[in-house]
Amino acid sequence: MKETIYTIPLNDAFHAEDECPFCRLERDAEQHALEFILGKQSSYMEDDIRMETDRIGFCRHHYKMMYDFGNRLGCGLMLSTHLKKLNEEMTRQIKSFTSGKSTLMGRLKKTDLNPDAPETPLGQWLYEKEHSCYVCDHFNATYQRYLDTFFYMYKNSKEFKDLFKNSKGFCMHHFRDLVEVGEKKLSVKEKQEFYPVLFSLMEENMKRLEEEVTWFCDKQDYLNRDKDWGNSKDSIQRAIQKLGGGYPADPVFKIDY
C-alpha cells in the first residue's frame, strides 16, 4: 500500500522490534517537539509559538525534559512570558476565591464519583494547569491518527498485519488504547480475528518478560554466575517500559550544538 506521513513512522516503529511500537512513536514525537521549541531554529522566538506555550504551559515530565535539553536561554524566555500570563490568571482566581464549608452530600458525591476532583474553581483551575502541556498536546494531536492508521493498515495490508502478529506486543497503556479503539474501528468479524491475536501477543510477551526478569534476579546467585544471561541483562528497563510505557534507560535528551 502507498506510504504516507503516518504509515512510514508506524512501519518503522514495528520494524524496530520494540517492546511497544507506540512508545517509540511517542518518544520520537516528544523529542521532535522539544527540538522544535528549543532547538537551533529558535521557534521560541516566534510570537505564535510563545502565545501557545504561554497559554498551555508544560507538565512536570516535560518541564524536566526542557531543563535537561540544555537551552537555558530559550527555556528562560519561554518561562518568563508564561509566568507573566500565569501570574495574571492566578491573581484573578485568588481574588474571586470564596471559602466555604462543604456539605455532607457534596462530600459523599465527591467520594463516590471522583475523590480527587477539585471542589473549588481555584482548585479546578490549578488542576487544569497541572494537566496542560504543549509537548503532550503535540503527541496527542498525532497519536489518534497513528491509531487510526494502525487499524487502516491492519485491515488493508497483509504485510503490516504480519508485522503486528510477529511483534512483541505493547505496553499496558497502549494495549488499553488498542482494545478501546478496536471496538470502534473493527467490524464484528474483524474483532473475532484481531482480539485473539492481540491478547495472545500480550500474554506471551508479558510471560516472556516475567521469565527474563526472574532469570536476571536468579543470575545474581553465585551458583548461576557461569550460566548464560540469555536476554535478561536489559530486562529491567524493558519490563518497566512494558508496565508503564516510555524508556527508563534512555540517556538525557540534549540539544546538539
Side-chain angles (χ1 to χ4, degrees):
M1 62 184 295
K2 185 177 180 180
E3 290 194 319
T4 70
I5 191 173
Y6 295 110
T7 61
I8 292 172
L10 196 59
N11 265 318
D12 289 346
F14 274 87
H15 278 293
E17 298 182 354
D18 202 298
E19 291 291 349
C20 177
F22 285 102
C23 281
R24 189 179 185 89
L25 291 166
E26 185 172 15
R27 179 178 62 183
D28 290 347
E30 70 178 0
Q31 290 181 353
H32 177 267
L34 284 175
E35 286 184 325
F36 175 70
I37 58 174
L38 288 174
K40 296 176 181 178
Q41 293 182 349
S42 303
S43 295
Y44 56 86
M45 296 300 293
E46 302 294 332
D47 289 342
D48 57 336
I49 300 299
R50 289 280 282 281
M51 285 177 63
E52 282 293 288
T53 57
D54 288 349
R55 179 179 64 85
I56 300 173
F58 301 89
C59 66
R60 178 187 295 185
H61 169 66
H62 288 124
Y63 272 128
K64 180 64 166 64
M65 285 193 71
M66 288 166 58
Y67 181 81
D68 290 338
F69 190 65
N71 185 349
R72 295 291 187 269
L73 175 59
C75 193
L77 289 169
M78 280 198 298
L79 290 175
S80 66
T81 52
H82 177 57
L83 282 166
K84 180 179 180 180
K85 181 174 179 60
L86 188 71
N87 285 338
E88 291 172 352
E89 292 182 13
M90 185 175 67
T91 296
R92 290 196 296 270
Q93 291 288 333
I94 289 173
K95 285 182 178 179
S96 64
F97 177 75
T98 303
S99 177
K101 294 182 179 179
S102 60
T103 65
L104 175 61
M105 287 302 295
R107 291 194 298 271
L108 289 174
K109 184 177 180 182
K110 177 182 172 68
T111 302
D112 290 342
L113 298 179
N114 184 357
D116 298 321
E119 292 185 339
T120 66
L122 177 57
Q124 180 63 38
W125 177 79
L126 291 166
Y127 179 88
E128 290 171 356
K129 292 302 176 185
E130 184 181 354
H131 292 83
S132 178
C133 177
Y134 181 89
V135 179
C136 289
D137 286 357
H138 174 80
F139 174 68
N140 291 335
T142 58
Y143 179 47
Q144 187 59 51
R145 295 188 182 96
Y146 281 133
L147 286 173
D148 292 343
T149 303
F150 170 88
F151 284 103
Y152 176 80
M153 293 173 69
Y154 173 81
K155 292 189 286 186
N156 293 280
S157 170
K158 183 182 182 303
E159 181 182 354
F160 182 78
K161 184 181 288 189
D162 290 340
L163 268 179
F164 162 64
K165 290 180 177 179
N166 292 303
S167 72
K168 295 180 179 179
F170 307 89
C171 72
M172 299 298 282
H173 173 77
H174 294 125
F175 172 44
R176 179 201 67 192
D177 289 346
L178 287 172
V179 171
E180 293 297 310
V181 177
E183 283 295 291
K184 303 171 185 175
K185 295 291 182 180
L186 301 175
S187 67
V188 173
K189 183 178 179 181
E190 289 167 340
K191 291 174 188 177
Q192 291 172 347
E193 177 193 36
F194 174 74
Y195 284 126
V197 175
L198 176 63
F199 297 160
S200 177
L201 275 174
M202 291 304 299
E203 289 177 332
E204 290 174 8
N205 284 283
M206 290 295 286
K207 184 64 177 177
R208 168 181 57 80
L209 272 173
E210 176 192 338
E211 293 170 354
E212 290 173 356
V213 170
T214 299
W215 180 238
F216 175 91
C217 297
D218 291 345
K219 189 71 174 65
Q220 312 308 311
D221 190 322
Y222 76 97
L223 294 174
N224 296 321
R225 65 181 176 223
D226 295 327
K227 295 182 180 179
D228 190 83
W229 280 93
N231 294 322
S232 68
K233 275 192 175 182
D234 65 345
S235 60
I236 301 302
Q237 55 260 44
R238 289 187 290 103
I240 291 174
Q241 178 189 0
K242 209 73 162 180
L243 295 169
Y247 295 85
D250 267 5
V252 170
F253 184 61
K254 294 182 177 181
I255 189 170
D256 181 20
Y257 288 103

